[in-house]
Amino acid sequence: MTAVSASANEPTPFAESDVVDHRLIGARLRPPASQAVIAKSVAAGMAAGLSEELAETLADAAVDQQQLRKALRAPKIQRFGAEEFAYVEFDVLTWRILPSPDNIRFEGEHARGTIGMPRFGAVDGQPLLTFEMDSVGKVIDAMAPRITDMLENNPHVQSIQDRGIETPGWLSFLRLTTDVGPVTRLESTDGFGRTVAAHQGLGITFKDAAWNLRPGSRRAAMLHRNLVEWADSDVVTDEQARKVRCSIMPNARVIIAFSAPREFDRSRRRFVAHLHMAPPMNFTIATTLNAKANAAVDNLYERGLLPVPDGMTPGEVRDILDGTEHDHDLDPDEVAVLACGALNPHPNKRQARAVNEAVADLTGAKPKLEERTQLAAEVALRRFPADKRLTSLRSALERAWRWSVLRGVELTRRDPRELLSEAIRELVQYGDDAGPATAELATLASYHLVGGRTQLLTRSEFGGRGSNTEPQQIMKQLAKTDTGLRQLCQIVLDGRADRDPQMLPDGATPKDRRFPQAEILTPDRLRTLAKLSDEQGITHDSPEDLFAAAIDAFQKRLDDLLIAAQEVGEVIGHDGVPLVDTLGFENPNVRNTLTDITDLVSEWRGARRRATRMRADLDDGGDAQ
């Protein structure tokens, strides 16, 4: 391997692709501290309120013990709404950080139960996460594909190995328990990719960070001494220089205390969602929706607003809806009803405000009505893999659930045939509206119409053409007649028995069996049952909905424009002065376009003011003045 000779001169400004002089980072390294020095840092940690276990973990992870003790004397505070986190900022040895086994990127997998790892737990009142698995081997096997995916797909891996970690991450205490007993480490709360990249640069594995390079071990001491030696050398190999660059997370932020209305595992999960979704980051749709949904479920639980069926507790409902508990006795369609009732409430209800608050707390923007429906659909469909089919299923289900009757539906867990009897009585009692039994039966059926062997409800892009159907219209039409209600009941019975849904013979009563010579439902036959012809136009969004969507798109374009303009001002010349201040910018087309936009917005505002005055006059006198 070739040697890298470092210049003794001051480092010059470097471009993004430049390799950083390893000595620039190595200057922060210190030789391994003596036990007496470590003991001082442990005492300082305990004086700051940490347990001995956490104080020792902190001291073992510190690059510079004096820097750590200074930070412990003046912890910093980060607040998000009602939650408060105290942290200390200091340089951390990267082999003391574990790639987090409960990462926001895994949120969709956690919710679907496909990750093979549990969620974090917590120790009451302490900023300490817990994580238990049967064996070391199972932890390593479960983490391997996540780490590999990060190395293969994160564009910043090479940059970290060439330049070191330039952006510090948030770290938390973690007690990892396996068949070899518990170990306590720092975990990458908000630094998973940085930690994985640094470990690869160091040439170490997850197993090394968790167990092999334990504090006080000969291997850890040897690695530390070698890094210190290479850090001060002007002739090192490429590998040695890279290891030095990857040995430190500078100015890492370690959470040492918290104050929140929930335990630390949920606080930490919410904290990470805050960091990544305000402004939004490029996660998968499933990850983003699950993070929002879980925040909403937490808020509903803490406010006592979760719908709780008889025989269940609020904690059980929360764990089912946030994907923590997969071993329960609810049928998948019942989970769907529970999700629709909790996350798709009527707009004027306290539950809707609680969902809005939780989502806005993460993203900075209040969700639209259909966004709550989308969160509910995502939770209902967690048993399906997060692939291309899921997008179609989610889109169809959330459109079916935009029917106002289904908002806030309650789960009673009654037999579908019992619900049918009550729903038929409701036809007379409620008229054009629908009662609670009708809502529950329709919600149960909508799940099977979307998630059955054949997707019978599909989102229509172009009205009534061919086999396209509009989910909301289909559900409304079927719920208007006793024939339609019986068909919905048969769909539920067939779906629960894993049968293709049958077209119920005329006048037949729903039964939990196959009917002789019964036709299988298809989108066309379902459409016929709902009395929607191929030529019949289907109303999609109202003009008001289209107007709201256009305004929203306009606002997003404006936000993008503002960010782009700010980026222009952030380009700095060699003299340290923004180039826009020295070169300026002039483009008549841009100026004219901005003028036109300003004029349009002024007209819109004027129209709104006129409409407001007119409404006020009508309210006061009955006629416009």
Side-chain angles (χ1 to χ4, degrees):
M1 193 172 289
T2 59
V4 179
S5 179
S7 169
N9 297 327
E10 286 290 316
T12 57
F14 37 80
E16 178 65 27
S17 60
D18 288 344
V19 176
V20 171
D21 184 336
H22 71 286
R23 294 189 302 172
L24 189 66
I25 298 171
R28 305 174 82 114
L29 274 171
R30 297 290 183 272
S34 67
Q35 286 303 310
V37 173
I38 292 285
K40 289 183 180 179
S41 295
V42 172
M46 295 175 68
L50 293 174
S51 67
E52 185 175 4
E53 173 190 12
L54 303 190
E56 289 176 349
T57 302
L58 209 60
D60 289 331
V63 175
D64 184 337
Q65 300 297 322
Q66 289 186 346
Q67 181 194 39
L68 170 61
R69 292 197 294 272
K70 181 179 179 181
L72 285 168
R73 287 193 290 269
K76 300 179 180 179
I77 298 294
Q78 178 76 53
R79 291 186 179 89
F80 283 111
E83 296 178 305
E84 179 177 286
F85 299 87
Y87 68 95
V88 288
E89 196 171 79
F90 63 102
D91 296 346
V92 171
L93 300 168
T94 52
W95 64 89
R96 295 284 185 247
I97 308 172
L98 275 184
S100 178
D102 189 359
N103 188 270
I104 192 172
R105 292 169 180 82
F106 314 154
E107 196 60 59
E109 295 171 281
H110 271 310
R112 286 176 169 77
T114 59
I115 196 170
M117 291 190 291
R119 289 192 186 276
F120 283 146
V123 176
D124 287 347
Q126 293 189 45
L128 175 60
L129 303 167
T130 59
F131 188 85
E132 299 183 16
M133 288 189 71
D134 293 341
S135 71
V136 168
K138 287 184 179 180
V139 179
I140 295 171
D141 290 345
M143 286 300 298
R146 277 85 200 172
I147 291 173
T148 299
D149 178 69
M150 180 59 65
L151 292 173
E152 291 177 349
N153 297 305
N154 190 317
H156 303 298
V157 168
Q158 188 59 52
S159 171
I160 287 172
Q161 295 177 10
D162 287 344
R163 302 165 61 80
I165 297 175
E166 298 177 284
T167 304
W170 288 86
L171 309 176
S172 301
F173 295 105
L174 167 65
R175 183 189 294 158
L176 173 63
T177 304
T178 61
D179 53 344
V180 299
V183 295
T184 305
R185 300 286 183 265
L186 297 177
E187 63 88 28
S188 56
T189 299
D190 178 45
F192 185 85
R194 282 160 280 189
T195 300
V196 166
H199 283 187
Q200 189 195 46
L202 272 174
I204 67 173
T205 65
F206 182 92
K207 182 179 180 181
D208 291 329
W211 296 285
N212 294 340
L213 292 170
R214 63 188 182 279
S217 69
R218 180 178 299 178
R219 184 177 170 187
M222 183 178 296
L223 172 63
H224 199 160
R225 286 195 295 268
N226 287 340
L227 288 167
V228 171
E229 180 183 341
W230 300 332
D232 195 37
S233 175
D234 61 350
V235 179
V236 293
T237 65
D238 291 337
E239 181 183 10
Q240 290 167 345
R242 185 181 67 249
K243 287 184 175 182
V244 172
R245 289 192 295 269
C246 292
S247 65
I248 297 173
M249 180 180 282
N251 302 319
R253 300 164 182 174
V254 182
I255 298 172
I256 64 168
F258 77 107
S259 174
R262 55 189 67 87
E263 291 300 321
F264 186 60
D265 56 331
R266 292 180 178 273
S267 295
R268 176 253 186 214
R269 191 189 312 168
R270 191 180 181 98
F271 176 64
V272 175
H274 272 295
L275 297 175
H276 284 272
M277 294 187 180
M281 302 291 282
N282 293 322
F283 288 114
T284 64
I285 293 175
T287 293
T288 301
L289 290 177
N290 276 289
K292 292 178 181 179
N294 290 349
V297 169
D298 273 346
N299 204 31
L300 289 166
Y301 172 79
E302 288 147 15
R303 293 173 178 267
L305 297 175
L306 273 180
V308 181
D310 289 342
M312 299 184 69
T313 66
E316 290 172 337
V317 172
R318 178 191 63 179
D319 289 347
I320 291 171
L321 290 180
D322 74 4
T324 297
E325 181 58 61
H326 299 279
D327 186 17
H328 53 77
D329 65 351
L330 292 185
D331 290 326
D333 55 5
E334 291 179 320
V335 174
V337 175
L338 203 57
C340 187
L343 297 170
N344 184 32
H346 283 285
N348 60 343
K349 299 290 187 178
R350 288 190 301 157
Q351 290 87 340
R353 290 195 290 273
V355 173
N356 288 345
E357 287 171 4
V359 175
D361 194 36
L362 294 184
T363 66
K366 177 183 176 181
K368 293 184 289 187
L369 193 65
E370 59 268 26
E371 288 182 78
R372 294 201 299 270
T373 315
Q374 192 175 45
L375 295 182
E378 171 63 26
V379 172
L381 295 169
R382 280 173 171 168
R383 63 184 289 264
F384 295 90
D387 55 17
K388 291 182 179 179
R389 186 191 176 202
L390 177 61
T391 301
S392 174
L393 301 180
R394 186 196 301 119
S395 178
L397 190 59
E398 69 97 1
R399 282 177 175 261
W401 286 359
R402 291 185 191 182
W403 184 20
S404 61
V405 166
L406 305 187
R407 295 191 182 279
V409 60
E410 295 183 6
L411 176 64
T412 64
R413 304 202 67 187
R414 287 185 288 174
D415 184 277
R417 285 160 290 197
E418 184 181 344
L419 288 173
L420 172 62
S421 298
E422 180 65 26
I424 291 175
R425 286 194 292 271
E426 289 174 352
L427 283 178
V428 177
Q429 182 179 357
Y430 287 87
D432 291 336
D433 293 326
T438 302
E440 185 175 0
L441 183 63
T443 307
L444 291 169
S446 67
Y447 175 82
H448 295 291
L449 287 170
V450 168
R453 293 184 180 184
T454 301
Q455 183 179 346
L456 298 179
L457 288 181
T458 58
R459 172 185 173 182
S460 172
E461 296 286 356
F462 308 106
R465 295 186 184 178
S467 62
N468 279 333
T469 58
E470 181 62 36
Q472 181 183 153
Q473 297 289 345
I474 292 286
M475 299 307 300
K476 290 174 68 174
Q477 290 295 102
L478 289 176
K480 284 183 177 180
T481 65
D482 56 352
T483 300
L485 289 171
R486 283 196 293 269
Q487 183 63 68
L488 291 176
C489 180
Q490 187 62 46
I491 288 168
V492 177
L493 295 174
D494 287 337
R496 289 184 175 181
D498 198 26
R499 293 187 294 262
D500 286 323
Q502 305 169 86
M503 189 168 179
L504 195 64
D506 290 341
T509 301
K511 297 184 184 300
D512 191 7
R513 62 172 174 80
R514 177 68 65 193
F515 286 88
Q517 300 179 333
E519 292 184 306
I520 301 301
L521 273 178
T522 64
D524 284 337
R525 287 170 180 161
L526 185 67
R527 187 180 184 83
T528 300
L529 284 172
K531 298 181 179 179
L532 294 174
S533 69
D534 286 344
E535 292 76 26
Q536 180 178 349
I538 295 178
T539 302
H540 293 274
D541 295 328
S542 67
E544 290 78 11
D545 290 336
L546 295 173
F547 179 68
I551 290 294
D552 183 64
F554 175 70
Q555 181 63 53
K556 290 177 180 177
R557 295 285 184 88
L558 281 182
D559 293 341
D560 292 341
L561 178 62
L562 176 60
I563 292 172
Q566 291 170 337
E567 289 175 349
V568 170
E570 292 172 357
V571 180
I572 307 300
H574 293 294
D575 57 358
V577 178
L579 291 181
V580 72
D581 290 348
T582 56
L583 301 181
F585 172 73
E586 173 64 25
N587 186 313
N589 290 333
V590 172
R591 184 179 63 251
N592 294 338
T593 300
L594 290 175
T595 299
D596 291 342
I597 292 173
T598 302
D599 291 343
L600 280 172
V601 174
S602 295
E603 292 178 10
W604 298 345
R605 295 178 63 193
R608 184 182 182 89
R609 287 194 294 268
R610 289 193 297 273
T612 301
R613 287 197 300 269
M614 183 174 293
R615 281 195 297 270
D617 291 339
L618 286 170
D619 290 341
D620 290 340
D623 294 309
Q625 300 297 315

